[in-house]
PDB file of all heavy atoms in Angstrom:
ATOM      1  N   PRO A  57      99.350 110.726  72.507  1.00 94.00           N
ATOM      2  CA  PRO A  57     100.030 110.145  73.667  1.00 94.00           C
ATOM      3  C   PRO A  57     100.751 111.151  74.525  1.00 94.00           C
ATOM      4  O   PRO A  57     100.980 110.930  75.712  1.00 94.00           O
ATOM      5  CB  PRO A  57     101.020 109.164  73.008  1.00 94.00           C
ATOM      6  CG  PRO A  57     100.401 108.778  71.703  1.00 94.00           C
ATOM      7  CD  PRO A  57      99.660 110.034  71.249  1.00 94.00           C
ATOM      8  N   ALA A  58     101.108 112.296  73.939  1.00 94.00           N
ATOM      9  CA  ALA A  58     101.803 113.322  74.712  1.00 94.00           C
ATOM     10  C   ALA A  58     100.956 113.811  75.889  1.00 94.00           C
ATOM     11  O   ALA A  58     101.494 114.221  76.921  1.00 94.00           O
ATOM     12  CB  ALA A  58     102.169 114.517  73.821  1.00 94.00           C
ATOM     13  N   LEU A  59      99.607 113.773  75.723  1.00 94.00           N
ATOM     14  CA  LEU A  59      98.767 114.217  76.811  1.00 94.00           C
ATOM     15  C   LEU A  59      98.866 113.238  77.996  1.00 94.00           C
ATOM     16  O   LEU A  59      98.837 113.672  79.161  1.00 94.00           O
ATOM     17  CB  LEU A  59      97.305 114.313  76.346  1.00 94.00           C
ATOM     18  CG  LEU A  59      96.311 114.946  77.327  1.00 94.00           C
ATOM     19  CD1 LEU A  59      96.676 116.394  77.590  1.00 94.00           C
ATOM     20  CD2 LEU A  59      94.887 114.841  76.808  1.00 94.00           C
ATOM     21  N   ILE A  60      98.985 111.958  77.726  1.00 95.00           N
ATOM     22  CA  ILE A  60      99.159 110.977  78.813  1.00 95.00           C
ATOM     23  C   ILE A  60     100.501 111.216  79.506  1.00 95.00           C
ATOM     24  O   ILE A  60     100.574 111.201  80.726  1.00 95.00           O
ATOM     25  CB  ILE A  60      99.090 109.522  78.247  1.00 95.00           C
ATOM     26  CG1 ILE A  60      97.761 109.318  77.556  1.00 95.00           C
ATOM     27  CG2 ILE A  60      99.309 108.537  79.367  1.00 95.00           C
ATOM     28  CD1 ILE A  60      97.626 107.955  76.884  1.00 95.00           C
ATOM     29  N   ARG A  61     101.537 111.441  78.739  1.00 95.00           N
ATOM     30  CA  ARG A  61     102.836 111.688  79.352  1.00 95.00           C
ATOM     31  C   ARG A  61     102.825 112.982  80.139  1.00 95.00           C
ATOM     32  O   ARG A  61     103.533 113.077  81.175  1.00 95.00           O
ATOM     33  CB  ARG A  61     103.927 111.764  78.253  1.00 95.00           C
ATOM     34  CG  ARG A  61     104.226 110.397  77.623  1.00 95.00           C
ATOM     35  CD  ARG A  61     105.459 110.452  76.758  1.00 95.00           C
ATOM     36  NE  ARG A  61     105.204 111.168  75.509  1.00 95.00           N
ATOM     37  CZ  ARG A  61     104.786 110.611  74.397  1.00 95.00           C
ATOM     38  NH1 ARG A  61     104.582 109.308  74.344  1.00 95.00           N
ATOM     39  NH2 ARG A  61     104.597 111.355  73.312  1.00 95.00           N
ATOM     40  N   TYR A  62     102.032 113.967  79.733  1.00 95.00           N
ATOM     41  CA  TYR A  62     101.964 115.200  80.490  1.00 95.00           C
ATOM     42  C   TYR A  62     101.373 114.970  81.860  1.00 95.00           C
ATOM     43  O   TYR A  62     101.890 115.479  82.878  1.00 95.00           O
ATOM     44  CB  TYR A  62     101.116 116.210  79.732  1.00 95.00           C
ATOM     45  CG  TYR A  62     100.806 117.487  80.517  1.00 95.00           C
ATOM     46  CD1 TYR A  62     101.742 118.469  80.657  1.00 95.00           C
ATOM     47  CD2 TYR A  62      99.570 117.623  81.125  1.00 95.00           C
ATOM     48  CE1 TYR A  62     101.468 119.631  81.398  1.00 95.00           C
ATOM     49  CE2 TYR A  62      99.272 118.752  81.867  1.00 95.00           C
ATOM     50  CZ  TYR A  62     100.209 119.757  81.967  1.00 95.00           C
ATOM     51  OH  TYR A  62      99.940 120.877  82.732  1.00 95.00           O
ATOM     52  N   TYR A  63     100.317 114.188  81.952  1.00 95.00           N
ATOM     53  CA  TYR A  63      99.622 113.967  83.197  1.00 95.00           C
ATOM     54  C   TYR A  63     100.311 112.937  84.090  1.00 95.00           C
ATOM     55  O   TYR A  63     100.356 113.052  85.307  1.00 95.00           O
ATOM     56  CB  TYR A  63      98.188 113.537  82.963  1.00 95.00           C
ATOM     57  CG  TYR A  63      97.244 114.670  82.620  1.00 95.00           C
ATOM     58  CD1 TYR A  63      96.562 114.687  81.403  1.00 95.00           C
ATOM     59  CD2 TYR A  63      97.046 115.720  83.479  1.00 95.00           C
ATOM     60  CE1 TYR A  63      95.684 115.714  81.064  1.00 95.00           C
ATOM     61  CE2 TYR A  63      96.178 116.760  83.167  1.00 95.00           C
ATOM     62  CZ  TYR A  63      95.514 116.754  81.970  1.00 95.00           C
ATOM     63  OH  TYR A  63      94.645 117.786  81.639  1.00 95.00           O
ATOM     64  N   PHE A  64     100.845 111.872  83.466  1.00 95.00           N
ATOM     65  CA  PHE A  64     101.321 110.713  84.245  1.00 95.00           C
ATOM     66  C   PHE A  64     102.795 110.396  84.072  1.00 95.00           C
ATOM     67  O   PHE A  64     103.327 109.561  84.818  1.00 95.00           O
ATOM     68  CB  PHE A  64     100.472 109.468  83.887  1.00 95.00           C
ATOM     69  CG  PHE A  64      99.016 109.651  84.078  1.00 95.00           C
ATOM     70  CD1 PHE A  64      98.176 109.903  83.013  1.00 95.00           C
ATOM     71  CD2 PHE A  64      98.455 109.598  85.364  1.00 95.00           C
ATOM     72  CE1 PHE A  64      96.826 110.088  83.203  1.00 95.00           C
ATOM     73  CE2 PHE A  64      97.122 109.769  85.567  1.00 95.00           C
ATOM     74  CZ  PHE A  64      96.287 110.030  84.481  1.00 95.00           C
ATOM     75  N   GLY A  65     103.458 111.045  83.190  1.00 94.00           N
ATOM     76  CA  GLY A  65     104.876 110.880  83.030  1.00 94.00           C
ATOM     77  C   GLY A  65     105.227 109.648  82.173  1.00 94.00           C
ATOM     78  O   GLY A  65     105.781 109.778  81.094  1.00 94.00           O
ATOM     79  N   THR A  66     104.879 108.496  82.652  1.00 93.00           N
ATOM     80  CA  THR A  66     105.226 107.248  82.002  1.00 93.00           C
ATOM     81  C   THR A  66     104.031 106.268  82.052  1.00 93.00           C
ATOM     82  O   THR A  66     103.029 106.570  82.713  1.00 93.00           O
ATOM     83  CB  THR A  66     106.427 106.555  82.698  1.00 93.00           C
ATOM     84  OG1 THR A  66     106.032 106.243  84.031  1.00 93.00           O
ATOM     85  CG2 THR A  66     107.637 107.487  82.720  1.00 93.00           C
ATOM     86  N   LYS A  67     104.169 105.183  81.347  1.00 94.00           N
ATOM     87  CA  LYS A  67     103.127 104.130  81.421  1.00 94.00           C
ATOM     88  C   LYS A  67     102.975 103.652  82.858  1.00 94.00           C
ATOM     89  O   LYS A  67     101.858 103.353  83.305  1.00 94.00           O
ATOM     90  CB  LYS A  67     103.477 102.956  80.513  1.00 94.00           C
ATOM     91  CG  LYS A  67     102.422 101.905  80.448  1.00 94.00           C
ATOM     92  CD  LYS A  67     102.776 100.767  79.484  1.00 94.00           C
ATOM     93  CE  LYS A  67     103.515  99.655  80.176  1.00 94.00           C
ATOM     94  NZ  LYS A  67     103.609  98.436  79.326  1.00 94.00           N
ATOM     95  N   ASP A  68     104.076 103.548  83.562  1.00 93.00           N
ATOM     96  CA  ASP A  68     104.015 103.091  84.949  1.00 93.00           C
ATOM     97  C   ASP A  68     103.172 104.011  85.803  1.00 93.00           C
ATOM     98  O   ASP A  68     102.385 103.566  86.636  1.00 93.00           O
ATOM     99  CB  ASP A  68     105.438 103.012  85.503  1.00 93.00           C
ATOM    100  CG  ASP A  68     105.484 102.312  86.837  1.00 93.00           C
ATOM    101  OD1 ASP A  68     105.181 101.111  86.898  1.00 93.00           O
ATOM    102  OD2 ASP A  68     105.820 102.967  87.848  1.00 93.00           O
ATOM    103  N   GLY A  69     103.299 105.334  85.588  1.00 93.00           N
ATOM    104  CA  GLY A  69     102.496 106.276  86.332  1.00 93.00           C
ATOM    105  C   GLY A  69     101.018 106.131  86.015  1.00 93.00           C
ATOM    106  O   GLY A  69     100.159 106.236  86.887  1.00 93.00           O
ATOM    107  N   LEU A  70     100.710 105.868  84.730  1.00 95.00           N
ATOM    108  CA  LEU A  70      99.311 105.656  84.336  1.00 95.00           C
ATOM    109  C   LEU A  70      98.742 104.391  84.958  1.00 95.00           C
ATOM    110  O   LEU A  70      97.622 104.384  85.426  1.00 95.00           O
ATOM    111  CB  LEU A  70      99.262 105.598  82.812  1.00 95.00           C
ATOM    112  CG  LEU A  70      97.871 105.299  82.217  1.00 95.00           C
ATOM    113  CD1 LEU A  70      96.874 106.401  82.534  1.00 95.00           C
ATOM    114  CD2 LEU A  70      97.981 105.130  80.701  1.00 95.00           C
ATOM    115  N   LEU A  71      99.532 103.320  84.957  1.00 94.00           N
ATOM    116  CA  LEU A  71      99.082 102.046  85.548  1.00 94.00           C
ATOM    117  C   LEU A  71      98.847 102.195  87.025  1.00 94.00           C
ATOM    118  O   LEU A  71      97.894 101.612  87.565  1.00 94.00           O
ATOM    119  CB  LEU A  71     100.092 100.950  85.248  1.00 94.00           C
ATOM    120  CG  LEU A  71     100.184 100.449  83.809  1.00 94.00           C
ATOM    121  CD1 LEU A  71     101.313  99.428  83.677  1.00 94.00           C
ATOM    122  CD2 LEU A  71      98.877  99.850  83.367  1.00 94.00           C
ATOM    123  N   THR A  72      99.686 102.937  87.696  1.00 93.00           N
ATOM    124  CA  THR A  72      99.476 103.151  89.116  1.00 93.00           C
ATOM    125  C   THR A  72      98.185 103.884  89.394  1.00 93.00           C
ATOM    126  O   THR A  72      97.395 103.524  90.279  1.00 93.00           O
ATOM    127  CB  THR A  72     100.665 103.930  89.738  1.00 93.00           C
ATOM    128  OG1 THR A  72     101.877 103.175  89.590  1.00 93.00           O
ATOM    129  CG2 THR A  72     100.448 104.206  91.212  1.00 93.00           C
ATOM    130  N   ALA A  73      97.893 104.929  88.582  1.00 93.00           N
ATOM    131  CA  ALA A  73      96.660 105.669  88.753  1.00 93.00           C
ATOM    132  C   ALA A  73      95.444 104.796  88.435  1.00 93.00           C
ATOM    133  O   ALA A  73      94.434 104.873  89.147  1.00 93.00           O
ATOM    134  CB  ALA A  73      96.664 106.880  87.833  1.00 93.00           C
ATOM    135  N   ALA A  74      95.571 103.910  87.433  1.00 94.00           N
ATOM    136  CA  ALA A  74      94.455 103.007  87.104  1.00 94.00           C
ATOM    137  C   ALA A  74      94.210 102.009  88.221  1.00 94.00           C
ATOM    138  O   ALA A  74      93.055 101.721  88.521  1.00 94.00           O
ATOM    139  CB  ALA A  74      94.788 102.289  85.792  1.00 94.00           C
ATOM    140  N   THR A  75      95.274 101.505  88.781  1.00 93.00           N
ATOM    141  CA  THR A  75      95.130 100.527  89.883  1.00 93.00           C
ATOM    142  C   THR A  75      94.470 101.174  91.084  1.00 93.00           C
ATOM    143  O   THR A  75      93.555 100.580  91.685  1.00 93.00           O
ATOM    144  CB  THR A  75      96.516  99.990  90.285  1.00 93.00           C
ATOM    145  OG1 THR A  75      97.187  99.485  89.146  1.00 93.00           O
ATOM    146  CG2 THR A  75      96.382  98.887  91.338  1.00 93.00           C
ATOM    147  N   GLN A  76      94.888 102.368  91.426  1.00 91.00           N
ATOM    148  CA  GLN A  76      94.263 103.087  92.540  1.00 91.00           C
ATOM    149  C   GLN A  76      92.785 103.320  92.268  1.00 91.00           C
ATOM    150  O   GLN A  76      91.950 103.148  93.173  1.00 91.00           O
ATOM    151  CB  GLN A  76      95.016 104.388  92.745  1.00 91.00           C
ATOM    152  CG  GLN A  76      94.440 105.213  93.930  1.00 91.00           C
ATOM    153  CD  GLN A  76      95.217 106.501  94.188  1.00 91.00           C
ATOM    154  OE1 GLN A  76      96.295 106.721  93.599  1.00 91.00           O
ATOM    155  NE2 GLN A  76      94.679 107.332  95.039  1.00 91.00           N
ATOM    156  N   GLN A  77      92.466 103.700  91.049  1.00 92.00           N
ATOM    157  CA  GLN A  77      91.039 103.931  90.693  1.00 92.00           C
ATOM    158  C   GLN A  77      90.223 102.656  90.844  1.00 92.00           C
ATOM    159  O   GLN A  77      89.088 102.676  91.370  1.00 92.00           O
ATOM    160  CB  GLN A  77      90.962 104.447  89.270  1.00 92.00           C
ATOM    161  CG  GLN A  77      89.544 104.571  88.719  1.00 92.00           C
ATOM    162  CD  GLN A  77      88.719 105.600  89.457  1.00 92.00           C
ATOM    163  OE1 GLN A  77      89.251 106.571  89.926  1.00 92.00           O
ATOM    164  NE2 GLN A  77      87.417 105.372  89.567  1.00 92.00           N
ATOM    165  N   LEU A  78      90.743 101.489  90.427  1.00 93.00           N
ATOM    166  CA  LEU A  78      90.044 100.238  90.518  1.00 93.00           C
ATOM    167  C   LEU A  78      89.819  99.860  91.973  1.00 93.00           C
ATOM    168  O   LEU A  78      88.710  99.448  92.378  1.00 93.00           O
ATOM    169  CB  LEU A  78      90.812  99.136  89.797  1.00 93.00           C
ATOM    170  CG  LEU A  78      90.799  99.178  88.281  1.00 93.00           C
ATOM    171  CD1 LEU A  78      91.779  98.178  87.699  1.00 93.00           C
ATOM    172  CD2 LEU A  78      89.415  98.942  87.737  1.00 93.00           C
ATOM    173  N   VAL A  79      90.837  99.955  92.811  1.00 91.00           N
ATOM    174  CA  VAL A  79      90.744  99.556  94.196  1.00 91.00           C
ATOM    175  C   VAL A  79      89.737 100.455  94.922  1.00 91.00           C
ATOM    176  O   VAL A  79      88.821  99.991  95.609  1.00 91.00           O
ATOM    177  CB  VAL A  79      92.099  99.617  94.910  1.00 91.00           C
ATOM    178  CG1 VAL A  79      91.949  99.348  96.390  1.00 91.00           C
ATOM    179  CG2 VAL A  79      93.066  98.595  94.298  1.00 91.00           C
TER     180      VAL A  79
END
Side-chain angles (χ1 to χ4, degrees):
L59 188 64
I60 301 176
R61 289 191 288 270
Y62 171 78
Y63 281 120
F64 303 101
T66 63
K67 184 178 92 169
D68 190 66
L70 176 64
L71 288 175
T72 298
T75 306
Q76 181 176 351
Q77 172 65 32
L78 287 171
V79 174

